Amino acid sequence: MCGIVGAIAQRNVVPVLVEGLKRLEYRGYDSAGVAVLDGDIKRVRRVGRVAEMENAAAAVGLHGQLGIGHTRWATHGGVTEPNAHPHVSGELIAVVHNGIIENHDEKRASLKALGYVFESQTDTEVIAHLVHYHYLQSRDLFAAVRAAAKELVGAYAIAVLAKDQPDVMACARMGCPLLIGLGEGENFIASDVSAIISATRRVIFLEEGDVAALRRDQVTILDKSGQPAERKVHVSDVSLASLELGPYSHFMQKEIHEQPKALSDTIEPVLELGFSSKLFGDQAESILSKVEGVLILACGTSYYAGSVARYWIESIARIPCQVEIASEYRYRDAVANPNWLVVTISQSGETLDTMEALKYAKSLGHDKTLSICNVRESAIPRASELVFYTRAGAEIGVASTKAFTTQLVALFALTGTLAKLRGHLDAEREVAYLDDLRRLPGSVQHALNLEPQIAGWSERFSPKEHALFLGRGPHYPIALEGALKLKEISYIHAEAYPAGELKHGPLALVDDNMPVVVIAPNDALLEKVKSNMQEVRARGGELFVFADLDSHFAESEGVHVIRTPRHAGVLSPIVHSIPVQLLAYHAALQRGTDVDKPRNLAKSVTVE
């Protein structure tokens, strides 16, 4: 959830650290800080935005050729400057840390017994003192970080510097993302490539248990067993343009409007290959041809994408599908079927609950695994046999938009491939589905053109404190996603229900102060949805209906209708995702909330 950046160079690295932290702001945070070596450890920390910390650093003339920086999202201890990173021990060691140290209470007690005094409530200060303790024994920063890491239980990415070793920075990774950037006569560390993309595109992704030492002209990596490790150097394809707002007011708005291209790019290999196992890797055919069912593990928006896919997989591929919230699955006594395919979905590829759920599934005997992810070489794809990378590009806004719709394309590609391998997809139907995919970006663009009308609706939504979303069949998860988007960024409390459940409880909430949003495509369930809408109107509820162009019902008193393009068939849930995203965005604008950085939330959830 937090962000790390570090640099060792022959130039002042403070601008690099500040720019990196600004590029990590999208991940969610509540305080920021940097520490550099300039004879002594010089540190500046501030609660609030990176800009406030930047101004404070400029005011004191912060300067150094070795430094680390951090944006913190509070877990242990409140949002205060003493709890902000970097943490310092004995004016000798400075540490930044992402993750959660599970044995911090035990280590805190033993360190206090050794005479260490704690100034914060964080688990991170335990790391600082632990490294300090080991450093006093060896006077070798790399050795001290290795020794400290062996004592830590939990998830962490850490970066460390020592006052009297100005030529080295050490880092370690377990369960949280961390990468090394390779420059010319300078090197970098970061939790996300976006933080260092203006300095270098050559990156090494550290693996679980790796500990590394960075010098200006050298990088040394030891694996979890302490043996020297060679890690592949990747050239990042993240563009600086994708990290800039351009003509848009917010990244969320930009990313909503990037969906036609993101979808087109993700669809491209499907159109080239058809519904082919080659989409998922060289070993895919031998694995997918033996699949008897599908288990989808995901969190948040990705879970809703999986929930849509369940309808597709069972209807088209004709095999059972189960969708589990990853954070729940990993803690229950699941009954495994090794003949099922485990599909994990994560935009970042680093979502801790999803990663741990995958590990749990594999421990139960699931060896057929597929990752759907938007970030190449991230942890979850590396732990999976098969991979489908979506091509959404960098997604900065906390509320996922283009990652969600491209995940749906990936899941539809999986559906078609499984159906074809099982003999449930003939050539004529395959051509029809591929044509549907080919037309999808255009349909999404048509839906985006409805933005002015949806913005008008938002004026009626903004004063409300509650809203209800209804959908049926594969559009029920889209109702769930619409409610999530609204609550995430506008802070309007919203719930979603299958429309048929309305009379089983939620109808009690309906009155003239409860707007009801209805996903009403022109499908086989439309008449059922119309009946549910009448139930709302009979109780004085105001309806806001997203219908299709070819749906046959008109606006009336208390019933507002916006028509998306003609019914998109099985891909209709993707098209209907667009208006609920736009409604949430414009309602948030009306309420004046921080759209890209909603309170209490983070983009990449790498802690429990």
Side-chain angles (χ1 to χ4, degrees):
M1 283 180 156
C2 316
I4 286 175
V5 63
I8 181 169
Q10 292 181 337
R11 56 175 167 144
N12 180 21
V13 299
V14 173
V16 177
L17 301 179
V18 170
E19 180 184 359
L21 293 180
K22 286 181 175 179
R23 295 199 183 280
L24 293 173
E25 286 187 288
Y26 76 93
R27 295 169 69 95
Y29 70 106
D30 43 49
S31 61
V34 295
V36 297
L37 280 187
D38 185 15
D40 294 318
I41 294 174
K42 304 292 178 62
R43 176 176 57 163
V44 174
R45 300 178 292 174
R46 288 294 184 272
V47 169
R49 294 299 181 212
V50 170
E52 297 175 43
M53 185 275 298
E54 179 185 18
N55 292 336
V60 299
L62 198 67
H63 181 281
Q65 296 180 346
L66 169 60
I68 51 179
H70 190 266
T71 52
R72 176 180 186 253
W73 189 86
T75 53
H76 293 77
V79 182
T80 65
E81 189 170 307
N83 286 335
H85 299 213
H87 287 284
V88 172
S89 179
E91 300 302 321
L92 185 62
I93 298 292
V95 173
V96 292
H97 161 233
N98 288 352
I100 290 179
I101 304 304
E102 295 175 7
N103 62 336
H104 70 96
D105 281 337
E106 170 195 335
K107 290 300 174 185
R108 183 184 295 261
S110 62
L111 287 164
K112 282 184 176 180
L114 291 171
Y116 285 93
V117 176
F118 284 78
E119 299 177 355
S120 77
Q121 301 164 295
T122 68
D123 54 342
T124 302
E125 195 176 358
V126 166
I127 304 173
H129 293 320
L130 195 58
V131 173
H132 181 274
Y133 171 77
H134 286 290
Y135 185 73
L136 293 180
Q137 318 306 313
S138 65
R139 290 292 168 173
D140 181 332
L141 181 63
F142 193 24
V145 171
R146 296 199 308 272
K150 290 178 181 178
E151 297 188 41
L152 300 177
V153 176
Y156 56 82
I158 60 176
V160 191
L161 55 82
K163 172 185 171 180
D164 52 2
Q165 282 201 269
D167 61 341
V168 64
M169 174 170 53
C171 59
R173 182 228 160 139
M174 179 65 74
C176 292
L178 195 66
L179 59 88
I180 295 172
L182 305 176
E184 296 296 329
E186 57 187 20
N187 288 308
F188 311 88
I189 55 108
S191 49
D192 188 313
V193 70
S194 63
I196 56 172
I197 197 66
S198 61
T200 183
R201 292 186 173 276
R202 298 174 61 236
V203 298
I204 294 170
F205 297 97
L206 294 179
E207 297 188 6
E208 290 287 87
D210 281 355
V211 184
L214 283 72
R215 293 174 173 80
R216 291 176 181 85
D217 56 359
Q218 182 183 8
V219 171
T220 303
I221 302 173
L222 301 182
D223 64 19
K224 60 185 175 183
S225 63
Q227 298 302 308
E230 294 290 333
R231 301 295 183 220
K232 184 179 178 182
V233 178
H234 301 266
V235 179
S236 173
D237 59 1
V238 173
S239 70
L240 280 172
S242 70
L243 306 175
E244 304 293 344
L245 272 174
Y248 297 97
S249 300
H250 300 91
F251 280 106
M252 182 177 181
Q253 182 190 32
K254 178 180 185 244
E255 288 153 14
I256 289 173
H257 284 270
E258 286 175 341
Q259 285 176 108
K261 183 179 188 309
L263 289 166
S264 181
D265 289 347
T266 302
I267 289 166
E268 180 183 359
V270 187
L271 297 181
E272 288 177 0
L273 298 173
F275 293 109
S276 167
S277 58
K278 293 178 182 178
L279 294 166
F280 305 96
D282 294 338
Q283 309 298 319
E285 184 169 356
S286 63
I287 294 171
L288 297 180
S289 62
K290 300 171 185 175
V291 165
E292 296 177 0
V294 177
L295 170 63
I296 297 175
L297 304 174
C299 299
T301 287
S302 296
Y303 170 76
Y304 297 146
S307 298
V308 173
R310 179 183 180 183
Y311 289 91
W312 290 339
I313 291 168
E314 295 193 341
S315 174
I316 297 171
R318 307 302 300 162
I319 57 175
C321 179
Q322 185 176 342
V323 188
E324 295 263 8
I325 297 172
S327 58
E328 289 294 315
Y329 172 80
R330 59 182 287 206
Y331 288 118
R332 71 177 183 83
D333 292 328
V335 178
N337 185 335
N339 294 321
W340 281 42
L341 175 70
V342 173
V343 179
T344 49
I345 312 172
S346 169
Q347 188 281 139
S348 68
E350 304 284 354
T351 308
L352 182 63
D353 284 318
T354 305
M355 183 69 203
E356 293 301 318
L358 173 59
K359 291 179 182 177
Y360 177 54
K362 291 167 77 171
S363 75
L364 296 177
H366 285 290
D367 57 0
K368 300 176 176 66
T369 57
L370 164 67
S371 166
I372 293 174
C373 182
N374 191 45
V375 179
R376 292 184 177 275
E377 297 300 324
S378 49
I380 295 174
R382 291 203 306 268
S384 304
E385 280 193 284
L386 308 178
V387 180
F388 187 106
Y389 286 114
T390 56
R391 299 181 179 182
E395 188 178 66
I396 305 300
V398 166
S400 181
T401 52
K402 61 180 180 174
F404 174 67
T405 50
T406 53
Q407 286 170 356
L408 288 171
V409 166
L411 289 161
F412 188 72
L414 174 63
T415 300
T417 301
L418 290 172
K420 189 174 179 180
L421 288 171
R422 295 174 63 83
H424 295 305
L425 185 67
D426 59 29
E428 182 179 356
R429 179 63 64 87
E430 180 176 13
V431 168
Y433 283 158
L434 292 174
D435 284 342
D436 288 342
L437 284 170
R438 190 174 287 108
R439 289 191 293 268
L440 180 63
S443 297
V444 166
Q445 184 59 59
H446 290 153
L448 287 168
N449 295 340
L450 300 170
E451 186 168 13
Q453 296 168 258
I454 296 170
W457 275 12
S458 70
E459 295 177 10
R460 304 177 71 96
F461 265 77
S462 59
K464 306 294 185 181
E465 294 301 325
H466 308 277
L468 192 62
F469 283 69
L470 302 176
R472 297 199 79 141
H475 295 85
Y476 165 51
I478 304 306
L480 286 164
E481 173 65 5
L484 176 63
K485 287 288 163 285
L486 190 67
K487 71 182 78 168
E488 274 184 310
I489 62 169
S490 75
Y491 315 147
I492 295 172
H493 169 243
E495 292 190 61
Y497 276 87
E501 285 291 292
L502 188 62
K503 55 186 170 293
H504 295 289
L507 197 57
L509 297 171
V510 172
D511 60 18
D512 56 5
N513 288 316
M514 172 73 82
V516 179
V517 180
V518 185
I519 316 297
N522 188 24
D523 60 11
L525 294 171
L526 179 60
E527 293 305 315
K528 299 291 186 184
V529 173
K530 286 181 179 179
S531 296
N532 302 136
M533 290 165 53
Q534 290 302 318
E535 294 170 352
V536 172
R537 283 302 299 137
R539 275 78 179 177
E542 189 173 14
L543 289 159
F544 295 82
V545 185
F546 290 118
D548 289 338
L549 194 63
D550 44 1
S551 295
H552 301 293
F553 59 87
E555 287 199 8
S556 59
E557 184 180 356
V559 181
H560 314 282
V561 180
I562 289 179
R563 300 185 188 281
T564 61
R566 293 188 180 279
H567 185 51
V570 291
L571 300 180
S572 174
I574 301 177
V575 177
H576 277 274
S577 301
I578 309 306
V580 298
Q581 293 172 358
L582 289 169
L583 179 61
Y585 174 71
H586 284 283
L589 283 187
Q590 290 287 332
R591 290 169 70 94
T593 61
D594 193 339
V595 172
D596 287 333
K597 306 180 191 73
R599 67 189 183 202
N600 305 332
L601 299 181
K603 182 66 178 174
S604 181
V605 183
T606 56
V607 297
E608 285 196 72

